[in-house]
Structure formats: structure tokens, C-alpha cells
Amino acid sequence: MDNPTNEAERAAEPVEPVRPEEIAGPLNVFRQHGASLIVFFILILLSTTVFSWYYTRKYIHHQANLKFQNEVEETKLLIKERIDVYIHTLYGAQGLFYASQTVESDEWALYIQTQALGERFPGITALEFIERIPRKDKDTFGFKIYPDTDREEYYALKFIEPRAGNEAQIGYDLGSDTVRLAALKEAADSGRATATRRLSLTRGVAEQPGFLICLPVYREDAPLATVEERRAALTGFVAAVFVADDLLAGIFGKKSVHPEIGFQVYDGQSLAQESLLYDDESVLRTIYPNFHPRFSGTATVDIAGRTWTLVFRALPDFGLTPTEEKLPLLVLVGGIVFSLLLFGILYSFVTSRSQALSIAEGMTAKFRESELRYADLIEGAPDPIIILDRLGHVRSINPAAERVSGYPARELVGRYFAGAGALTPSSLPKALQEFAFSVVGKERSPFEVEIIKRNGGHLTMEANPRPIKRDGKTVAVQVIFRDVTERKRAEKVLEESRNYLDKIINSAADPIFVKDRKHRWVLVNDAYCFFLGHKREEMIGKTEHDFFSKEEADVFAEKDESVFESGKEDLNEEKFTDAHGVTHIIRTRRTLYEDAKNEKFIVAIIRDFTGQKLAEEKIRQLNDDLNRRNQELININKELEAFSYSVSHDLRAPLRAINGFANALLEDYAGRLDAEGHRYLDLIRTNAKNMGQLIDDLLAFSRLGRKEIQMTNIDMGELAHDVFRELKLIFPGRSIHLDIQPLYPARGDMAMMRQVVVNLLSNAIKFTSKKEEARIEVGSAVQGSDAVYFVKDNGVGFDMKYAGKLFGVFQRLHSVEEFEGTGVGLAIVQRIVHRHGGRVWAEGKMGEGAAFYFALPLTLEGGKI
Amino acid sequence: MSDTNQVEILLVEDNLNDAELTLRALKKHNLANKVFHVKDGAEALDFIFARGAYGYRIMADHPKVIFLDLKLPKVDGLEVLHQLKSDERTKVIPIVVLTSSQEEKDVVESYKLGVNSYIVKPVDFENFVQAVSELGLYWLLLNKPLP
């Protein structure tokens, strides 16, 4: 944008030094300015001529128009006046009925004839008397009323004059015609003469436009103050019938209003064909088809309660006298001739000074050349350029401007730029302001204007005005335009994408802000505004020092500064007090952003960790509690372990000693003991052994709780068979019938599950020992999501009321003498099954055997027996 | 049993009852004459490594087998086991842990340290005698020690 301007200015420079005085020397004023003076005088004369011609023409036209208006006014008055006369005639007829209550046909005829209807009032076609006849009197009326309609009352034509040729109309009910009825009613109610709307009247075979004016006739002496009284008093009407053509002919004679004015009369204010009453323009139009009226005008006139519209159109010929009309031309021709003559005289005078003039030409040659160069530049410039003079008139426009605007130079040159219609109204104020700045010599930045092209299209352009100066004074303003429609579109796209981004940034839940190098906010999102409790407008351009305590703000500023300096992203936890005095723990991620102009910004995203921190703190506390308890449990367990360890060592050692030394006594002193002594020693040994067993079982039971479960797939059928084989060795000589059905596989710790099977089977074997033939049944079934295994025997059974005690530690339902055992076996079974997520229960009956069940969750790979 | 260099069985046992019963069992099979009894782990180590009160001993004349209780005063059985089995000079000596502990932990630890046999002392004396006798017979008579 800058370059073309500079070029143009440089090109314009050489104009400066061209000064006629320097080249031509001391010539007199006339020599210096001779040619231009002649042209100047001639131009003055010519313009005076044109001015005079223009005003003369205007004056003549004005006079003609006045003449036309006079004609219009006269015509209007004439019509009004004549109609009024007719109405007066009607009042006369009305008076006739008042004077003598009953009027006979002859009296009526006489009145009309004395009024010399046809001659005095050529416009009236007929005068009528219409009688109001109630329905009951319909048949007593002297004539037949037609058309035959059934109505409250009839308005029948009784008299008509001239009678000849109109006899057929007598008896006609005017109330049967809506147009006539409307006027009659209006007249009756108002008591005034009332005209009908335009009617089509039949005369002979022709239909002609016309109308009626009717006047009500009331009973004499009846009160007529109100509408009701008038209606009650109504006896009939007198009416005048008008054919419009006759009426108007009666007014103007056979000629028209004015031979050069077309005239139309419309009923009402609509200029529709159906309301046309009278038209003499049609005659003119046959002579001058498609004439363009020199003047036209309308007037309205009130006719008995209706308004007529009169339309006048003057022919082009209409006007003043021919001589008067030619006056402007005479002025023009005369003026020009005079100017030319004067020019000739002056020219011959000036040619004698041709040498001086040729010098002057030489002087201007350089000027022209430079002007040419400047013109070339402007002509060739790709951007539209216009040059305005100091007053804002377009001095020249370049082809690019012509091309872009669509205006040829001749249509713009010489026009005031603001009045040429090439700028939109909204662009004008700015353009005028900028022009003013240029004229006073100020250089301004480019501004945008909206151009209206010749074809009506709009263009947004950037205008760059530059004053062109001579001797420090602005002599012209050069304006270079650049089409920025595209750029505007791009800006719009950019704005849209900025809006889009804004929307994204503002919908982010995390507060986001951008700060410039001086720590001033340049962007804050909604979340940040909400976070701080301030409006965006309050924050933009401010710093944290305007909102926070100095202590907090200093911390923020320091963090910002370090990112500005290092350029490294920073993730920092900060304390921060919001607008409501609530302290937040926030984590701010600051990143450096450097724009295309190398300006640095901090882009920061904040995450509020306050809630999370609290939750974390709570979790940490819970964890601590848990750890502490866990540690306590571990300690307790350790103590328990130590206890068991010591039990297993220290409790068994004395038992071993008791047993051992009792045995030594038996061996070494057998001879000295009698039978009772032997029995006592045996009892000591048996009890010691039992206690040893008790301790072993107890230890085994307590170990179970600690032992880790090693899950494997277990073929329960195989396990049962295996265990049974071993148990048979322990119980030799027993006759046991064992039935092991196919069993669901299980998933569990092999050793533990083996313990379960061992305990249950050995129990079954033990408690069937009193039976001659022990029957033991092992099986499984699916119950819901569990596999249920059972061991049934036909042994001694148990009382179901003790079923709950069966699985307790050291719980026994039988004496040791009856069945040996420590009462730990089933407790171990229960503990193992529970540790596998299963359950145990038992069913039994005294003397009829027992069934022990345990259920384990079905394995995924289970389901196959 | 004054000749501590002729010891064939070193019995490490703090419980005198157990010790007596063990000896009695060994005696039944005529294995008791070359048994030496020490009452804690420290003494056991002194004996084997011929130091302290046993400094006069010739270390190379080590016993043919050591019966070792685990729960011992001063130095416990597992520590004794560890020291003996980690010393080149003593690791060849067969060690039988003879203990009341059925804890799996003890069993596993003992085998890891290189014990030759792990026997749980039964409460029942007959079983105890049987176990001790079998052990003595096995290690003294049947087992052929390293030359």
C-alpha cells in the first residue's frame, strides 16, 4: 500500500519548480494570463447565458403550471356550483310537497315545466317523486309496484318528469336496488340531499354512467330532531336523475374543459374504471396517443355527501403563448452568439501575443511531461486511485478505479465525491472526516469504506488518502484503494475460528489464563473468572497484584518470571485465596508462548486440587489406620505363633517325660508293682498320650488359619478313593461298604482338601464301628453356584438339636470311651471349607446315621464329573 | 564318657528329661556309651570347634552324628545347624534335628540349612524309643561316614 503512494508523490514533485516568472521574465499580467483571461470571460458569459436560459425556462414552466392549476380550480368550482343549483331545484320540489300535502301528477308536471327543466338545467335527465309505501298499503297504491319483492316498505316511483318515454318507470321500487336504497336511507336519516354512487343508467339501448341525488320529504310539522323522528316522519323523496355526460356537457357546453387538458371524473376516491363517471381525455388520446402530460393534477369535490375525484392532464402543448414559451431559447441563443463574438474579438487580440504564449506553452511542457509521468503511473497502477481537489471534487480516476467501480471516468470527474453515490451512507462520515484530515495536510492510516459499484454491488475497500502539497499547502488529495473484500472474508473466518476457540477454552472446567510480559492478563476463560469471582472486563489488563494479597501475588509473579526467563514449562503447586476467602491448593502449569512478533506470553492452566487433597489426606489417614491395625494383627499373630511354638515344645516335653518315665517304671520295676499299680501307670500313659494328641490337633488347627492356600484343580473322586485306601490300613479288619459316586472336581488347596476328606471319612468309619456292616456313601450335587459334597454313613448318628455344636473346637457328642477323638476334626473341616469360601452343615438322627455336607464354589472348568 | 574325642553321638538337649529318655532309649540298643550330652547351643559349638571349655579336644575327631534340639538356650538349634553346615570342616557331620516342633517353618528352614534328618519327638515313649534307636542304629552302624 505504501509504495504506490510514494511513487505517486515522487512523480508529482517536479511540478513544483515550474514557475512562469522564472522562464518568461517580466511580462505584464495580461501576457502571463491572456489566454486564460479570455477563456475566463467567455466562460462567465456562457455560464451567465446558461443561467439566464435556465431561469427563464424555469419561470415559463412555472407560469404554465399556474395556468394549469387555475384551470383545475375553475373546473372544480364550476362543477360544485352547478350541482348546488340542481340541488336547490330539488329543494323546490320538496317544498312543493310540504306546501300541499298531496301533490297530483299534474301539479308535479306543472312545477317541473315552470322550472323549464330541459333548458335551464340541461344536466338533469329527469325529476322524480318517490313515495314511501308500507307493506300493508302495497296493493292500494295506484300503480303496480315492481319488482315484486317482499319488504317492510317500498319506495315506489310515483311521478316522473318528463313523463313522456318514462311511463314504464312508474311503480318502480327504488328500494329494490342496493345502490339507490343506500342513498335513500342516508338521505332519510340525515335529512340532506344525498347522491348515489355511480349508476349505470339505461337510456334507449345505451348504458350510460350517471347518478341520482335524492332529498327526503317528511310529514309537515313532524319533529325532525333525531334520526328516529326523521325516519318516522318520512313520506317519500324527490330525486334528480343525472347522466354524467349530459351533466358535464351542460356545465361546459359542448366543448371540453380546455382543449389541451384531459379531464376525468371519478365517483369516490378510487381511480378505477368502474367508478369513472366522465372522461373527455379519451378524445384527446385519440389525437395524441401515449401523450406525456406536461402537467397533471387531481382535485376532489364534494357532491351531496359523496366525494368525486377530478383528474386533469395537460398536453405537452399546453402552456403560455408560443412567444412566451420560446423566450428561454432566445436567451440561450442570444447569449451564445454574443459570447462567440466576444471570443472572436479577444482571440484576435491575443494571437498577436502568440510568442509570449508559445513561451508559456514551453513553460507548461515540463509540467505536462511530469504530469504525464504521474498520469502514467496512475494509469498503470493496479489499484484504484482517485484524485480529489481541495473541495472534494473528483479530478481524475485511473482505469483500475473505473474497472473496479464500473463508473467511467466521465461520470465521476467533476462530481463531489460524497455526492456521487459511490459510497454507502454508513461509510460517508468516516470518508468525510478522513478527507478533512488530508486537506489540512495530516497523513492518516488507511481506513475502510464500502463502495457502491455502478451496478449496485457493494465492495469493501481500504482507502489510503495522501495529501498532495504545493508549497506546503494541500492542493489535492490522492486516494489509493485496495480491495479488502477477500481480506475481510479471511478476517471473518479468523474471527469464527477465534470464537470457536473461545468457546472451547471457556467450556474447559480448568481455569486458563494468558499473561503478557508485564504479567497482565490478556486472556482469561470462564472457569478462571468464576474461580476468582471477578468479571472478565475487570481482569483483562490487570495483574494478580490488583486482586490478591501482595504475599500471594508475589509468589505468582515470581513463578511467571522464571518461566519467562527460562522458557521451561513449570508445574507448580500453590496456595491461593479466592474471592470468598477460601484457600485453595492449586497446581498451575505455566508454558511460555512466543508469538510471531517475538512477544512472550505465559499460558497457564490451573487445576484445583483442594478437593483431591482433602480426599488424599483422608485416604492417607485411613491407610495409616489400616496399616497400624495390620501391624497390630501381625504382632498378635506373631505372638500367637510364638505361643503355639512354645506350646508345641514346652507342653509336650512334660507329657513325654510323664509318659517316658511311667514306661521306664513299668519296664524297670514291673516285678514290684501289683496289677493295680500297672493299671495306674497305664492310665498315666494313656492320658499323657491323649493330651499329646490334643495338643497336636490344636496346633494343626491353629496352623490352618495361617497357612496360605495354594489353589489347584482337584479331582475329588480320585482324592476320596486315595484317602479311603489309606484309612483302610489304619482300620484293619473293618468291613466297610463304601460307595463313591462320580464327584465334581473342586478348586482348592490339595493338602487342606485332603485333610477335609480324611477327617470326614475317618469320622464316618469311626462312628460306624458299632455296626456290623458299615455303609458309607460319598457323592456330590450342584446347588446354585456351589458344588455340594457329602459323606453319609449308617453309624450312630446324632441328635439334630446338637447339630450347631458339631463343628465347634473340642465339641464332642460322644464320650472318649464310646468313640475316641479330641473334637477338633470337624472344626478343622469347617475352617478349611470356610477358608475356601464354602460352607458346612450336617444332618443326622440318633442311631440312624449322619450326613456331612460341604459346599464349594463351582469351578469355571468344573461341571464335568 | 570322659574321653571327649571318642564321642560318637553328640546330644544337644536342654531338657534333662528328654535327654535322659533319649539316653535310655540308646542304652537299650547299646548305643549309649559313646554319647556326649551338652545343654545348649553355645556349648555344642564349643565342643565341635574344640574351643572354650573344650579347647583340649581335637577338632578332627568329630562325632559320628549330632542329635540337635531346636529350642535351646544361648544359641538356638537352627543357628548351630547353620554354623556347622556352613563350615567346611564340620559340614560333613550328619545332623539329626530331634525336636518337639512340628512347625513347617522349622522343618523347611532345617532342610535348607542342610540337616540330614528331621525327627519330631513323639509324646508316646515307645514311639520315641523306637525313633531314637532307629536313628542311632542308622547313623552309627549303617551309615558309612566320609573317610
Side-chain angles (χ1 to χ4, degrees), chain B residues 85-144:
Chain B
K85 285 298 180 186
S86 57
D87 192 307
E88 284 301 318
R89 298 165 294 175
T90 55
K91 76 182 204 183
V92 294
I93 309 169
I95 300 176
V96 175
V97 165
L98 195 59
T99 177
S100 299
S101 173
Q102 293 180 335
E103 294 296 314
E104 198 177 305
K105 191 178 75 174
D106 287 344
V107 180
V108 169
E109 188 63 21
S110 300
Y111 277 107
K112 271 189 188 161
L113 291 172
V115 80
N116 300 80
S117 204
Y118 188 101
I119 303 298
V120 177
K121 295 181 209 167
V123 168
D124 185 359
F125 184 70
E126 275 156 17
N127 291 337
F128 181 67
V129 168
Q130 200 182 340
V132 170
S133 309
E134 279 171 6
L135 278 174
L137 286 169
Y138 175 79
W139 291 108
L140 296 181
L141 306 176
L142 303 176
N143 190 34
K144 190 173 168 61

Side-chain angles (χ1 to χ4, degrees), chain A residues 615-685:
Chain A
E616 274 173 12
E617 181 60 24
K618 202 161 185 180
I619 288 170
R620 205 182 54 75
Q621 273 180 9
L622 283 173
N623 251 341
D624 284 355
D625 278 0
L626 211 65
N627 281 338
R628 201 166 49 245
R629 284 208 198 139
N630 205 19
Q631 195 52 50
E632 278 169 17
L633 278 175
I634 288 169
N635 291 344
I636 289 169
N637 246 341
K638 275 192 180 154
E639 279 166 26
L640 265 174
E641 255 175 70
F643 173 73
S644 322
Y645 194 75
S646 119
V647 164
S648 76
H649 264 90
D650 303 342
L651 248 54
R652 273 152 41 110
L655 289 174
R656 211 161 37 242
I658 291 166
N659 189 310
F661 290 111
N663 196 53
L665 199 60
L666 271 175
E667 282 176 11
D668 297 356
Y669 301 94
R672 294 194 218 171
L673 284 173
D674 60 4
E676 195 64 4
H678 277 280
R679 196 176 72 79
Y680 289 155
L681 281 175
D682 279 342
L683 281 176
I684 290 168
R685 288 186 56 209

Side-chain angles (χ1 to χ4, degrees), chain A residues 407-546:
Chain A
Y407 284 102
R410 64 172 189 283
E411 284 185 24
L412 286 180
V413 170
R415 298 195 65 177
Y416 179 48
F417 81 94
L423 288 173
T424 60
S426 59
S427 298
L428 268 179
K430 177 73 178 165
L432 288 166
Q433 185 192 358
E434 292 297 331
F435 174 73
F437 276 118
S438 299
V439 167
V440 298
K442 288 235 167 70
E443 301 216 348
R444 303 268 298 174
S445 326
F447 62 97
E448 265 174 24
V449 287
E450 207 172 342
I451 304 287
I452 307 171
K453 294 197 284 186
R454 195 168 185 269
N455 64 12
H458 285 213
L459 263 181
T460 307
M461 301 206 90
E462 192 180 69
N464 192 8
R466 304 272 299 202
I468 297 175
K469 296 177 183 175
R470 299 278 172 269
D471 300 333
K473 272 178 70 186
T474 304
V475 292
V477 176
Q478 169 197 265
V479 190
I480 302 182
F481 292 90
R482 177 155 290 178
D483 187 348
V484 291
T485 314
E486 262 317 304
R487 198 181 77 196
K488 292 291 279 184
R489 193 170 301 147
E491 274 171 8
K492 205 178 163 199
V493 169
L494 199 70
E495 195 190 322
E496 267 168 21
S497 77
R498 193 176 298 131
N499 287 343
Y500 178 61
L501 248 148
D502 271 358
K503 195 155 177 111
I504 293 174
I505 290 173
N506 280 329
S507 54
D510 286 342
I512 298 171
F513 63 81
V514 178
K515 283 187 206 163
D516 66 10
R517 191 66 187 82
K518 290 181 176 164
H519 304 257
R520 292 174 304 207
W521 286 303
V522 295
L523 181 151
V524 291
N525 74 342
D526 287 354
Y528 193 55
C529 295
F530 180 76
F531 195 50
L532 263 59
H534 293 286
K535 285 182 183 156
R536 182 172 284 114
E537 309 86 84
E538 297 171 353
M539 295 169 64
I540 296 295
K542 301 272 180 57
T543 73
E544 272 139 349
H545 280 94
D546 296 317

Side-chain angles (χ1 to χ4, degrees), chain A residues 280-576:
Chain A
D280 85 345
E281 197 187 285
S282 56
V283 183
L284 286 180
R285 255 187 259 114
T286 56
I287 309 167
Y288 312 98
N290 305 321
F291 77 89
H292 294 288
R294 184 174 183 188
F295 303 107
S296 62
T298 59
T300 55
V301 56
D302 288 331
I303 301 296
R306 287 201 64 77
T307 302
W308 285 1
T309 305
L310 315 179
V311 178
F312 301 86
R313 288 190 188 85
L315 283 178
D317 293 349
F318 174 86
L320 306 177
T321 61
T323 325
E324 287 167 330
E325 292 282 352
K326 276 175 194 143
L327 195 59
L329 194 63
L330 280 173
V331 170
L332 184 67
V333 172
I336 290 172
V337 167
F338 178 69
S339 304
L340 287 176
L341 273 173
L342 194 62
F343 178 77
I345 295 161
L346 286 172
Y347 184 77
S348 65
F349 174 70
V350 165
T351 40
S352 66
R353 294 286 177 269
S354 60
Q355 201 153 14
L357 287 173
S358 74
I359 294 167
E361 259 169 39
M363 295 183 319
T364 53
K366 274 189 182 171
F367 176 86
R368 278 212 207 99
E369 195 186 328
S370 74
E371 201 170 47
L372 215 60
R373 266 165 52 202
Y374 179 48
D376 276 350
L377 268 170
I378 291 183
E379 296 284 302
D383 287 326
I385 300 172
I386 65 170
I387 297 183
L388 305 173
D389 66 15
R390 284 173 54 85
L391 299 174
H393 297 110
V394 178
R395 213 160 74 180
S396 63
I397 84 169
N398 73 343
E402 287 183 304
R403 197 175 56 246
V404 169
S405 68
Y407 284 102
R410 64 172 189 283
E411 284 185 24
L412 286 180
V413 170
R415 298 195 65 177
Y416 179 48
F417 81 94
L423 288 173
T424 60
S426 59
S427 298
L428 268 179
K430 177 73 178 165
L432 288 166
Q433 185 192 358
E434 292 297 331
F435 174 73
F437 276 118
S438 299
V439 167
V440 298
K442 288 235 167 70
E443 301 216 348
R444 303 268 298 174
S445 326
F447 62 97
E448 265 174 24
V449 287
E450 207 172 342
I451 304 287
I452 307 171
K453 294 197 284 186
R454 195 168 185 269
N455 64 12
H458 285 213
L459 263 181
T460 307
M461 301 206 90
E462 192 180 69
N464 192 8
R466 304 272 299 202
I468 297 175
K469 296 177 183 175
R470 299 278 172 269
D471 300 333
K473 272 178 70 186
T474 304
V475 292
V477 176
Q478 169 197 265
V479 190
I480 302 182
F481 292 90
R482 177 155 290 178
D483 187 348
V484 291
T485 314
E486 262 317 304
R487 198 181 77 196
K488 292 291 279 184
R489 193 170 301 147
E491 274 171 8
K492 205 178 163 199
V493 169
L494 199 70
E495 195 190 322
E496 267 168 21
S497 77
R498 193 176 298 131
N499 287 343
Y500 178 61
L501 248 148
D502 271 358
K503 195 155 177 111
I504 293 174
I505 290 173
N506 280 329
S507 54
D510 286 342
I512 298 171
F513 63 81
V514 178
K515 283 187 206 163
D516 66 10
R517 191 66 187 82
K518 290 181 176 164
H519 304 257
R520 292 174 304 207
W521 286 303
V522 295
L523 181 151
V524 291
N525 74 342
D526 287 354
Y528 193 55
C529 295
F530 180 76
F531 195 50
L532 263 59
H534 293 286
K535 285 182 183 156
R536 182 172 284 114
E537 309 86 84
E538 297 171 353
M539 295 169 64
I540 296 295
K542 301 272 180 57
T543 73
E544 272 139 349
H545 280 94
D546 296 317
F547 291 92
F548 304 122
S549 69
K550 187 179 178 325
E551 196 185 6
E552 279 180 337
D554 281 348
V555 173
F556 297 140
E558 191 186 309
K559 300 287 174 202
D560 291 346
E561 202 53 42
S562 82
V563 174
F564 273 130
E565 272 162 22
S566 69
K568 279 185 194 146
E569 182 178 293
D570 175 69
L571 184 62
N572 197 65
E573 202 166 294
E574 294 152 355
K575 268 200 179 166
F576 154 89

